[in-house]
Amino acid sequence: MRARDRAAVSALRGTLAALDNAEAVPVEAVPSAGALEASPVGAGATEAARRELGEQDVVGIVRAEASERLEAAAQLTAPAHAARAERLRAEAAVLLRFLDSAEDTTEDVTADA
């Protein structure tokens, strides 16, 4: 049970980081101040608004994270790497369960409408 929790935590942390990266604004889009006297003043004045991801974007990122883990596990064929491969498969299973539960919830909502 504890090993499964570690796999879930690892998978969720990695996926949240991937989602956070996907929301980041390209560096070219961040406004830059030229001279010091022309720079914005105040807390958060130089912050750029983050992109908002749609549901399909999030699902795509989660699928990609699960796929990456499964591909990496498939490449770890040496017996010495069996534990790492199993952990990657467990992490992918956690992410795929989240996708399945999200699809079930979406189907329930559309059936009620």
Side-chain angles (χ1 to χ4, degrees):
M1 183 70 175
R2 224 158 144 73
R4 190 175 307 154
D5 291 342
R6 286 187 188 141
V9 168
S10 178
L12 294 175
R13 280 185 180 158
T15 303
L16 287 173
L19 290 168
D20 195 38
N21 288 341
E23 291 175 338
V25 180
V27 175
E28 301 84 36
V30 178
S32 63
L36 181 61
E37 59 273 2
S39 63
V41 178
T46 59
E47 294 292 320
R50 297 184 64 79
R51 295 183 330 154
E52 290 188 31
L53 300 176
E55 185 176 342
Q56 294 301 320
D57 298 326
V58 172
V59 168
I61 291 168
V62 174
R63 280 190 200 286
E65 288 290 309
S67 177
E68 285 177 17
R69 283 167 172 76
L70 290 173
E71 289 173 14
Q75 292 177 359
L76 295 174
T77 57
H81 299 296
R84 176 69 179 143
E86 185 57 37
R87 184 170 177 169
L88 287 169
R89 285 188 203 96
E91 290 179 13
V94 167
L95 296 176
L96 293 173
R97 271 197 312 264
F98 272 103
L99 288 176
D100 290 341
S101 66
E103 288 173 1
D104 291 344
T105 304
T106 304
E107 289 173 6
D108 291 344
V109 170
T110 54
D112 291 341

